Amino acid sequence: MSQARKLLNDSVIFAIGSFGSKLITFFLVGFYTYYLTTSEYGTADLLLNSINLLLPVVSLSISEGVLRFVLDSKGRREKVKLVNTAILINFIGLCLVGCLLLGVYWLIPQLGLTTTSLVLSFVLLTVQSFQLIFMQYIKAIGKLKIYALNGILLSLLTLIFGAFFFRQLADKLTAYFLSLVLANSLSLLFLLVHASMNTWPTKENRLTRTQAKQLIAYSLPLIPNAAMWWILTTSSRFIMTFFLGVASSGMYAAASKIPNLLSVLGSIFLQAWQLSAVENYRKKNVGAFYQQVFNHYSTLLLLFSGFILLFLDPLASVLLSKDFYFAKAYIPLLLLSNFFSCMSGFFGTSYVVVKKTKGVLTTSLAGAAVNLVGSFLLIPLIGVNGASLASCGGFFLMFYLRKQQTKNLMKSQLSTRQMTLQFCLLVLQIGFIQWGSVPKPIQWGGQSVLLVLIVLIDVFHSSPKRKVC
């Protein structure tokens, strides 16, 4: 099977799973905004993002190491040892975090949380930490269909449990987290069955100390990187809550769901690309292959962004309830932010391929610093869109730095000339939307022409380049 064909097949499998799951999750936005007030939704979103921040800390980001090292492992026994070592590391991390939470138990009332919310949050953290390990293991051993099916199963269970508990429980936050805990727990059981793990992490079934150190050394830089990523994607919501109130954070969170479709599309491809990039790294003509993939990937993201903007009004009316409808004003800038986030992810694969993850940390640190400073400066001045602008600046810097560092990491150097030209057309489309005096038919026609131009540029300009622009 050719490089491109395998990448396409893997992408289709991930797409089926991701779109099936994200489609359900996408419509959950309307479901949640119907049952939760803007303040409740903002609180739930902040809690969930706090869990996401703790996940890499608990496990030392060991699930990422499992994926990369299992791909290089040849025998099943070695692969099982990798997973068992990861399980033990994750368990130790959970014990330490559990002790820490007990130590701050007295802070619960001051934080406006109930004991039930804290307990359910910790259970969700526990389940998801083990779930991540087995998801990456399943992917690394080539069971991509199981990986994709798990995504659909998880989202469907979340919808079913959510529909049940939101109607049965008066405390909507408890209903929210209880549905997530049960859905993720059943998903973990599904993964365990298909991973066929029939050994315990005893000493003889784990990596040697030297091997474990190599695994941890690879994963450790990804912990602060995850924290930096959290700053880039989530910290602005806490700053917004401080300056503008929790309702604005809920509005921003709801607005983010539509641009996040772009991130879903990007993550679908990047999951397949990570596998393909590792497999083809030492092959001949890999530079031309990487350039071709990069050109088509950026075109796909920009075209998808353009379609979201073209149908922004109907999308917002269907997916956002009346209390959240005006959040659509924040979507254009969030789309730009998500685009650079996806492109940063593409260049981030280079660090995974060569097993040098320190660059992931330094570039994320720079992007997070820009986002954090920008949020503190811009949110008080221009409100919610200040968070979008700060996020966009942070991800752009990360993208630029990774592009520059990739020159030294990889044998090939990627040209961004085509992407830059197409991106300018997307910015022009946003200008059409913001120019309110233009009649709707002309506005819609102008946007359509710009989308056609984005496609034509890819058709006539996507031949591999060998020099960086």
Side-chain angles (χ1 to χ4, degrees):
M1 186 181 293
S2 68
Q3 298 170 331
R5 186 177 177 184
K6 186 180 185 303
L7 177 59
L8 179 62
N9 287 346
D10 290 349
S11 298
V12 168
I13 293 172
F14 285 124
I16 292 171
S18 294
F19 272 122
S21 62
K22 297 301 180 183
L23 188 62
I24 298 170
T25 305
F26 196 53
F27 286 104
L28 274 170
V29 176
F31 180 77
Y32 289 146
T33 55
Y34 176 79
Y35 280 101
L36 298 171
T37 65
T38 54
S39 296
E40 286 174 332
Y41 190 70
T43 302
D45 184 70
L46 292 177
L47 273 174
L48 198 57
N49 281 290
S50 298
I51 292 171
N52 291 335
L53 174 63
L54 280 174
L55 270 172
V57 178
V58 165
S59 63
L60 303 185
S61 285
I62 212 70
S63 61
E64 297 297 327
V66 167
L67 173 65
R68 184 62 185 89
F69 281 78
V70 168
L71 283 172
D72 276 350
S73 301
K74 301 191 183 296
R76 172 173 167 74
R77 181 170 174 77
E78 186 179 353
K79 294 175 181 178
V80 171
K81 283 184 175 182
L82 274 163
V83 177
N84 282 334
T85 304
I87 290 172
L88 182 62
I89 291 170
N90 189 65
F91 179 76
I92 294 171
L94 283 168
C95 290
L96 293 174
V97 171
C99 293
L100 178 64
L101 289 177
L102 285 175
V104 298
Y105 182 83
W106 61 275
L107 277 175
I108 294 176
Q110 284 83 349
L111 295 173
L113 302 175
T114 63
T115 303
T116 303
S117 298
L118 185 69
V119 171
L120 287 175
S121 297
F122 181 72
V123 173
L124 183 61
L125 172 68
T126 301
V127 173
Q128 287 187 335
S129 62
F130 287 111
Q131 188 185 39
L132 278 175
I133 292 172
F134 286 101
M135 284 173 65
Q136 298 291 51
Y137 176 69
I138 288 287
K139 182 163 64 173
I141 61 176
K143 293 187 176 182
L144 301 186
K145 293 180 181 178
I146 298 300
Y147 181 91
L149 184 59
N150 175 68
I152 298 174
L153 177 66
L154 175 58
S155 298
L156 187 59
L157 288 171
T158 302
L159 179 62
I160 293 170
F161 286 127
F164 176 77
F165 287 115
F166 270 107
R167 287 175 179 158
Q168 297 298 319
L169 300 178
D171 187 341
K172 301 307 178 187
L173 280 179
T174 299
Y176 181 83
F177 281 100
L178 190 57
S179 64
L180 290 176
V181 167
L182 291 175
N184 281 272
S185 297
L186 290 177
S187 165
L188 176 58
L189 288 175
F190 175 78
L191 292 170
L192 283 169
V193 169
H194 289 281
S196 304
M197 296 292 296
N198 52 8
T199 61
W200 292 93
T202 55
K203 187 174 182 179
E204 61 272 12
N205 290 323
R206 299 197 308 265
L207 297 176
T208 63
R209 182 171 294 183
T210 301
Q211 291 172 320
K213 284 182 179 179
Q214 291 174 346
L215 177 64
I216 293 172
Y218 173 88
S219 304
L220 272 177
L222 300 176
I223 302 173
N225 171 66
M228 296 307 103
W229 201 266
W230 178 87
I231 290 173
L232 277 160
T233 58
T234 308
S235 64
S236 56
R237 300 184 191 181
F238 288 90
I239 299 171
M240 201 181 308
T241 300
F242 177 78
F243 284 111
L244 308 176
V246 72
S248 66
S249 177
M251 192 76 74
Y252 183 81
S256 300
K257 301 304 179 183
I258 294 177
N260 281 350
L261 281 174
L262 185 67
S263 296
V264 171
L265 182 65
S267 66
I268 289 169
F269 171 79
L270 288 179
Q271 288 179 84
W273 173 239
Q274 191 175 57
L275 301 178
S276 186
V278 171
E279 292 169 357
N280 293 291
Y281 174 52
R282 292 180 175 84
K283 292 184 179 179
K284 293 181 179 179
N285 299 321
V286 69
F289 175 59
Y290 280 12
Q291 182 68 63
Q292 185 181 32
V293 171
F294 177 80
N295 287 344
H296 293 323
Y297 177 59
S298 59
T299 298
L300 179 65
L301 293 177
L302 290 167
L303 190 61
F304 193 75
S305 300
F307 275 113
I308 290 177
L309 292 171
L310 187 63
F311 299 105
L312 184 56
D313 286 340
L315 276 173
S317 62
V318 170
L319 298 168
L320 299 173
S321 67
K322 61 180 182 179
D323 291 337
F324 292 83
Y325 179 75
F326 292 104
K328 73 173 186 176
Y330 313 135
I331 290 174
L333 275 177
L334 285 170
L335 273 173
L336 299 185
S337 174
N338 282 22
F339 170 74
F340 284 118
S341 170
C342 292
M343 299 313 298
S344 299
F346 185 93
F347 282 103
T349 302
S350 304
Y351 303 99
V352 174
V353 170
V354 299
K355 292 184 179 179
K356 295 180 179 179
T357 51
K358 289 183 180 179
V360 175
L361 169 60
T362 56
T363 54
S364 297
L365 180 62
V370 168
N371 180 77
L372 199 59
V373 173
S375 293
F376 272 111
L377 293 176
L378 294 174
I379 289 175
L381 290 175
I382 60 176
V384 176
N385 259 330
S388 305
L389 195 58
S391 175
C392 187
F395 278 121
F396 173 77
L397 179 62
M398 186 191 300
F399 155 75
Y400 177 78
L401 292 176
R402 289 184 177 182
K403 173 182 175 292
Q404 296 302 110
Q405 289 185 7
T406 298
K407 297 177 185 178
N408 301 320
L409 287 175
M410 307 292 286
K411 300 174 184 176
S412 59
Q413 298 180 13
L414 297 178
S415 167
T416 56
R417 181 187 301 164
Q418 174 184 311
M419 185 208 79
T420 302
L421 186 58
Q422 293 169 313
F423 179 77
C424 289
L425 293 176
L426 183 71
V427 173
L428 188 57
Q429 184 184 0
I430 293 175
F432 261 110
I433 295 173
Q434 300 301 323
W435 195 5
S437 60
V438 178
K440 284 289 182 183
I442 296 177
Q443 189 182 100
W444 197 88
Q447 290 186 66
S448 300
V449 169
L450 293 174
L451 295 182
V452 171
L453 288 175
I454 288 174
V455 175
L456 290 177
I457 289 171
D458 183 63
V459 171
F460 293 107
H461 195 266
S462 61
S463 57
K465 305 289 188 302
R466 296 191 178 279
K467 294 183 179 180
V468 178
C469 300

